[in-house]
Amino acid sequence: MNKLPVSRLVVMKFGGTSVEDAVAIKRTASIVQGRRDKGLTPIVVVSAMAKVTDQLFAAAAAAARGDRSGALAITARLRNRHFETAKALISAETICDLGQWVESEFGSLDEVLRGLAAVGELTPRISDMIVSVGERLSSRIIAEAFRHYGLDAAHVDARQCIVTDAQHGKAIPQDSLIEQRLREHVLPHALAGRIVVIGGFIGSAADSAPDKLITTTLGRGGSDFTAALVGGGIDAGSIEIWTDVNGIMTTDPRIVPGALRVKTISFEEAAELAYFGAKVLHPATILPAVRKNIPVLVLNSHNPQNEGTRIISLAPHCRSPFKSIAVKRRLTIIDVVASRMLMSHGYLRAIFDVFDKHKCPVDMVSTSEVSVSLTVDSNEKLPEIAADLSQLADVKYEGRKALVCMVGENIRGQNGIAARVFQAIRHVNVRMISQGASEINMSFMIEEDDVEEAIRSLHAEFFSDPDPEIFDVEALKERAPEPVKEGVS
Ligand code: ADP
Ligand code: ASP
Ligand code: MG
């Protein structure tokens, strides 16, 4: 087999808003064509069309509570949306086969939902089967659309390549098997110059029979993860995450519309931001790329000319302490109070064993003489967790909390930063504070209702005089209002 220079392979991941309708998919095709014109070989990872995964989850939940017609009404709307999109993109000759396939996919989906409504028990395995439909549909429709627009594209079923364990809903990828499968199913197309289109988010359990794959998913937002697994698995020259904002911004632009693009950020900083709530990247995305030192770019499919954010191994020096502020909502604080036992041997382990038993990850921990406070994602297992913990000590828990996480390599060893942070949000009730073990984040818990105000105040404090080497200050100039001319009424 002749060998393609590795750096020519570029993994391009398009999120839900980048493939939300026919217009967006057409835009995606031209972005991919642009990479082709530069002599690159794109491997395209796509999410489900915007909001489809949410709707599939909603259909599954409706069926599970016995609302059969509610579930089928959702799939009827989805069926219509996918048909209309395909019709707007694809020629009359090819639409026939694709249309039949789409019809049969929805036929099987409806059958599963009817069964679910009758039985009333939604297992994680069935849930994965249902929610995977979004990426299975989008990837095939997009591959077909690419061909229609003159790109030599081949569709690959992600389940043939992304091999995982059987933890449905948040399956763990099996790297070496994935590499092997990518070599079998993806590389030959790339070597022949074809553009592979593959669905993100979904995979299959390693112990599936080849003719009966057991579908798994990588967790919400998991298409970014797929992109990194594919990029790492084929030694791509770069990984591009195409989304609906200009890159990683100084904070979520939905909270601060004047947030600035961060031009370059380190892997470590980006991973920290993602883990602590910056939805723009899935937390696990960076790892496979870091291991192989593959640059990751975050780019805007609605504004492809923008240079986006480059994630590199070592961040250049930055004048300001922070690069970005992330926020993670829907958290619960659990307080465990036990005056008698705290210092006894094995006590903390006993507490963590409870979280381990319920497979519940803990975000932040703080301890005092007599108590331990922990934060977790609000979830339906909390009453059971609290019941188990109450065997050890007094327990109370409180939801509707948010974690604010300020990230930047420059906070290492700088004095007075915490004072500036807490001065900026002096009117907000801060519950727990931690300066992360990684030394590059400062995090604290607040009430969910205070999030917007706290983030705006912090943003004004730390990003009003941005370092032009790191932040896109040109955008700031473009946005500045016209100065009022004297003498003009
Ligand atoms: P996609 O569908 O492309 O995966 P997501 O909705 O998952 O897109 O992520 C993009 C969104 O992430 C943006 O629209 C933005 O509101 C949000 N976001 C949160 N924090 C940040 C941040 N620091 N920088 C950029 N976007 C952010
Ligand atoms: N479609 C999946 C989700 O909405 C995966 C993704 O978009 O990254 O979570
Ligand atoms: Mg996403």
Side-chain angles (χ1 to χ4, degrees):
M1 206 193 299
N2 54 348
K3 211 163 156 52
L4 196 79
V6 160
S7 62
R8 295 274 134 211
L9 297 173
V10 52
V11 174
M12 306 176 75
K13 176 262 173 176
F14 292 90
T17 48
S18 301
V19 295
E20 66 190 341
D21 54 23
V23 174
I25 293 172
K26 217 166 151 181
R27 206 188 292 129
T28 300
S30 76
I31 294 171
V32 172
Q33 179 68 59
R35 289 293 179 268
R36 198 99 187 90
D37 294 344
K38 286 189 177 160
L40 297 170
T41 302
I43 290 146
V44 178
V45 175
V46 294
S47 290
M49 294 166 72
K51 304 266 160 32
V52 167
T53 311
D54 290 343
Q55 286 157 14
L56 289 165
F57 271 111
R65 59 173 186 270
D67 180 6
R68 178 168 173 254
S69 59
L72 297 181
I74 296 174
T75 57
R77 285 196 294 275
L78 285 175
R79 179 193 263 112
N80 192 38
R81 180 171 168 199
H82 285 88
F83 268 123
E84 288 307 313
T85 306
K87 263 205 311 216
L89 284 167
I90 293 156
S91 64
E93 310 90 70
T94 40
I95 192 77
C96 196
D97 280 354
L98 183 69
Q100 270 171 15
W101 176 77
V102 171
E103 186 51 52
S104 79
E105 284 300 301
F106 276 103
S108 327
L109 175 62
D110 284 353
E111 222 171 280
V112 172
L113 290 168
R114 279 192 206 99
L116 181 56
V119 180
E121 196 203 340
L122 178 58
T123 62
R125 178 170 166 177
I126 303 278
S127 175
D128 273 354
M129 190 197 274
I130 294 170
V131 301
S132 71
V133 169
E135 270 74 6
R136 291 205 283 119
L137 290 166
S138 67
S139 56
R140 234 182 119 169
I141 293 173
I142 291 165
E144 205 66 69
F146 279 8
R147 281 199 280 273
H148 181 72
Y149 289 111
L151 290 163
D152 185 6
H155 177 254
V156 170
D157 186 336
R159 294 172 302 172
Q160 290 183 315
C161 301
I162 306 299
V163 184
T164 69
D165 68 3
Q167 275 187 63
H168 288 281
K170 224 176 176 66
I172 311 282
Q174 318 266 295
D175 291 351
S176 56
L177 275 173
I178 292 176
E179 239 172 79
Q180 194 184 314
R181 299 290 183 87
L182 289 167
R183 248 181 272 130
E184 279 168 38
H185 298 285
V186 169
L187 268 186
H189 285 300
L191 288 166
R194 272 189 296 278
I195 297 166
V196 167
V197 181
I198 184 166
F201 178 55
I202 65 176
S204 65
D207 51 6
S208 309
D211 57 337
K212 211 167 186 310
L213 295 175
I214 299 170
T215 305
T216 55
T217 62
L218 303 174
R220 294 307 307 265
S223 298
D224 296 343
F225 197 4
T226 307
L229 290 167
V230 173
I234 58 166
D235 284 312
S238 63
I239 298 169
E240 298 178 347
I241 305 290
W242 289 85
T243 183
D244 62 347
V245 284
N246 280 345
I248 295 183
M249 312 292 278
T250 45
T251 194
D252 188 344
R254 283 180 217 185
I255 302 177
V256 180
L260 294 171
R261 173 171 62 91
V262 185
K263 295 200 272 190
T264 44
I265 197 163
S266 69
F267 279 121
E268 214 188 331
E269 289 170 324
E272 205 82 353
L273 279 171
Y275 182 76
F276 287 105
K279 197 184 162 208
V280 66
L281 273 188
H282 182 284
T285 307
I286 318 286
L287 207 64
V290 178
R291 280 199 205 118
K292 298 207 165 165
N293 214 3
I294 301 171
V296 178
L297 285 125
V298 181
L299 297 157
N300 188 353
S301 68
H302 300 253
N303 183 15
Q305 306 311 328
N306 193 285
E307 56 191 59
T309 299
R310 202 176 170 78
I311 305 176
I312 49 174
S313 50
L314 281 180
H317 180 75
C318 175
R319 203 167 66 200
S320 37
F322 298 113
K323 298 269 172 52
S324 183
I325 311 171
V327 58
K328 194 168 179 185
R329 297 178 222 236
R330 279 179 291 283
L331 297 181
T332 293
I333 296 185
I334 304 178
D335 291 317
V336 185
V337 183
S339 49
R340 282 172 300 121
M341 298 165 67
L342 187 66
M343 287 308 169
S344 69
H345 177 73
Y347 180 70
L348 280 178
R349 201 191 62 200
I351 292 182
F352 280 102
D353 279 350
V354 172
F355 289 93
D356 195 38
K357 174 179 156 198
H358 293 280
K359 293 200 164 50
C360 176
V362 173
D363 278 324
M364 199 195 256
V365 186
S366 94
T367 56
S368 78
E369 254 327 273
V370 292
S371 68
V372 183
S373 298
L374 309 103
T375 68
V376 298
D377 280 347
S378 302
N379 67 56
E380 68 282 359
K381 288 205 189 129
L382 281 173
E384 286 169 55
I385 293 173
D388 283 355
L389 288 171
S390 66
Q391 310 283 320
L392 303 167
D394 293 338
V395 180
K396 59 180 193 316
Y397 61 96
E398 223 184 295
R400 293 189 48 78
K401 302 286 176 278
L403 179 69
V404 175
C405 177
M406 315 209 28
V407 173
E409 302 246 9
N410 255 13
I411 59 174
R412 284 187 236 254
Q414 280 207 33
N415 294 332
I417 306 265
R420 271 178 76 191
V421 168
F422 295 113
Q423 174 66 15
I425 50 159
R426 60 195 171 282
H427 34 277
V428 169
N429 179 17
V430 176
R431 287 290 300 269
M432 282 166 73
I433 302 173
S434 128
Q435 175 140 7
S438 67
E439 285 185 26
I440 64 162
N441 92 52
M442 193 179 282
S443 327
F444 47 88
M445 297 290 293
I446 60 176
E447 299 294 327
E448 242 177 30
D449 291 343
D450 291 334
V451 161
E452 308 249 323
E453 197 193 332
I455 301 289
R456 285 198 198 109
S457 305
L458 289 165
H459 198 269
E461 171 66 26
F462 288 99
F463 298 106
S464 50
D465 176 26
D467 184 342
E469 288 295 311
I470 302 294
F471 303 104
D472 180 14
V473 292
E474 295 304 313
L476 208 58
K477 287 184 204 147
E478 282 158 28
R479 276 186 219 139
E482 289 284 305
V484 183
K485 288 187 192 132
E486 266 178 67
V488 177
S489 59

